[in-house]
């Protein structure tokens, strides 16, 4: 119980830091919010972009067998009939007859499920019914059955429907993959746990096409690559766990699925998935569109529908994992401090530059020069002369800035260089402010 309470407090602290420091706000807050939506502020979007860029670098730019995509969010509704989402993308919903609150039947506490009592008011829960989670909309001016479309609930289908375009324009040989990052929408019955379960979120997905004879090699390869990516974004390996999804819980078309779970403050929960989806998707789209989506292997002289391995990552869940992993409270110089121990690769601000005192023009001038030089090299650099230096360090610690560079009197009077302070240890070292400083920072920031 105590642990649970502590974890709840930790989650509250993360949410409040995100709001206080301009990472993430409740969606449409001035109107009372919209459940399941979040707005990313300046530091949040920088952190998110860094995570996406590392993913793209590892899985697209860093390889020669991956084709990047950015497909439309609105798709021909036949897509979702073929994929099975129209008939099957549903969660079991129960409603309380008294307070009208709705719950996912598979997520209510066991006691309530047994007694059929509402977890909020003890009222009677109704029968479970299937609730389709796709957001419906209409395309064009006429709102009738023929104009119905959906906001995509996953990015994957945007790649399957472009499989033939990639084959025809690039003539790739198997194995090869398609990758994209984009928004997905799910009308979740009970959005919860901050970014963990929202109604609008982002995914980073890969559809990797293989000869079925070799699917295991590619599956093993991506298993390792997922862990390598977690390292890229600075997650502790000890907090990520593989869960082999048992036969009776896997989607019927999947022959193997591994969920990557993370120790979030609210418990161990799914971060990403890796699934062997067989030839299910391409076969279905072939059938529904009547377009041939087979592949001819001219070495093996055989024609077949490729099988697919799908590593699927949630951007927002990655970001929440990164934040939970980084959130630290300690004591420094006899004072309590809160800081984000972010990997420099994802930190929204890489370096902050300060003049020791705001009212000494020679310090400010020098600090501005160094700031301009570092900004040109590293981009995400901040200048700060607001408040005393201790306060500035704490402000930067709180947003996870790895280094603070300070111009003091010794910089000017003794040409002693600047001080560079390390976020985690608080230690400072003096470094000459030209190329030496740039080289030093490159070594750690990359
Ligand atoms: P869950 O079981 O938690 O609902 P899922 O198995 O339905 O997730 P997938 O359909 O495999 O999830 O989606 C791939 C990834 O997209 C997930 O691993 C997760 O990172 C992310 N994701 C899915 N649903 C949400 C959501 N509602 N909010 C934020 N991220 C999500």
């Amino acid at each position: 119980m105590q642990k649970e309470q502590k974890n709840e407090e930790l989650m509250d602290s993360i949410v409040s830091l995100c709001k206080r420091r301009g990472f993430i706000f409740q969606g449409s807050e001035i109107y009372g919010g919209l459940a399941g939506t979040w707005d990313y502020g300046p530091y949040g979007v920088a952190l998110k972009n860094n995570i996406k860029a590392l993913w793209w670098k590892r899985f697209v730019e860093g390889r020669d067998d991956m084709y990047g995509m950015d497909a439309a969010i609105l798709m021909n509704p036949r897509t979702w009939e073929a994929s099975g989402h129209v008939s099957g993308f549903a969660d079991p919903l129960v409603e309380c007859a008294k307070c009208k609150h709705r719950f996912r039947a598979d997520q209510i506490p066991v006691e309530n499920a047994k007694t059929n009592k509402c977890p909020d008011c003890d009222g009677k829960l109704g029968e479970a019914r299937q609730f389709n989670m796709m957001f419906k909309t209409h395309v064009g001016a006429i709102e009738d059955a023929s104009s119905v479309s959906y906001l995509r609930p996953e990015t994957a289908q945007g790649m399957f429907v472009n499989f033939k375009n990639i084959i025809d324009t690039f003539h790739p040989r198997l194995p090869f993959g398609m990758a994209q990052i984009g928004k997905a929408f799910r009308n979740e019955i009970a959005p919860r746990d901050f970014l963990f379960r929202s109604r609008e979120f982002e995914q980073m997905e890969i559809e990797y096409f293989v000869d079925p004879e070799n699917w295991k090699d590619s599956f093993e390869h991506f298993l390792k690559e997922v862990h390598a990516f977690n390292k890229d974004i600075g997650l502790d390996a000890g907090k990520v766990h593989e869960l082999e999804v048992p036969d009776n819980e896997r989607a019927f078309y999947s022959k193997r699925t591994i969920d990557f779970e993370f120790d979030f403050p609210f418990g161990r929960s799914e971060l990403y998935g890796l699934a062997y989806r067989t030839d299910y998707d391409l076969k279905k789209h072939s059938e529904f569109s009547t377009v041939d989506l087979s592949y001819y292997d001219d070495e093996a002289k055989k024609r077949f529908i490729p099988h697919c391995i799908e590593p699927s990552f949630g951007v927002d869940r990655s970001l929440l994992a990164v934040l939970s992993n980084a959130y630290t409270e300690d004591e420094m110089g006899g004072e309590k401090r809160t800081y984000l121990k972010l990997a420099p690769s994802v930190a929204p601000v890489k370096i902050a530059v300060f003049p020791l005192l705001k009212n000494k023009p020679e310090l400010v001038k020098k600090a501005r020069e160094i700031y301009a030089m570092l900004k040109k090299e590293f981009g995400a650099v901040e200048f700060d002369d607001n408040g005393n230096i201790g306060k500035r360090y704490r402000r930067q610690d709180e947003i996870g800035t790895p280094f603070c560079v300070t111009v003091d009197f010794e910089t000017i009077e003794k040409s002693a260089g600047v001080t560079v302070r390390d976020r985690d240890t608080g230690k400072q070292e003096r470094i000459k402010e030209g190329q030496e400083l740039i080289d030093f920072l490159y070594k750690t920031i990359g």
Side-chain angles (χ1 to χ4, degrees), residues 414-426:
K414 297 190 188 156
S415 301
V418 291
T419 65
V420 180
R421 174 186 174 274
D422 179 283
R423 175 196 64 203
D424 301 345
T425 61

Side-chain angles (χ1 to χ4, degrees), residues 186 188 195-198 201 203 270-273 312 314 317:
R186 295 184 187 179
E188 296 279 358
L195 308 172
F196 181 81
R197 187 171 301 290
S198 43
F201 55 97
Q203 292 183 316
E270 178 180 329
L271 178 61
Y272 316 131
S312 177
R317 281 191 196 176

Side-chain angles (χ1 to χ4, degrees), residues 89 91 104 107 133 153-154 186 188 192 195-205 259-260 270-273 310 312-318:
F89 192 60
D91 274 342
R104 246 175 81 167
Q107 281 177 359
M133 290 197 290
E154 60 175 33
R186 295 184 187 179
E188 296 279 358
R192 63 176 171 88
L195 308 172
F196 181 81
R197 187 171 301 290
S198 43
R199 290 184 168 136
E200 173 175 344
F201 55 97
E202 258 182 297
Q203 292 183 316
M204 308 181 281
E205 292 195 300
D259 281 351
F260 293 83
E270 178 180 329
L271 178 61
Y272 316 131
E310 180 189 75
S312 177
F313 303 69
V315 177
D316 315 77
R317 281 191 196 176
S318 306

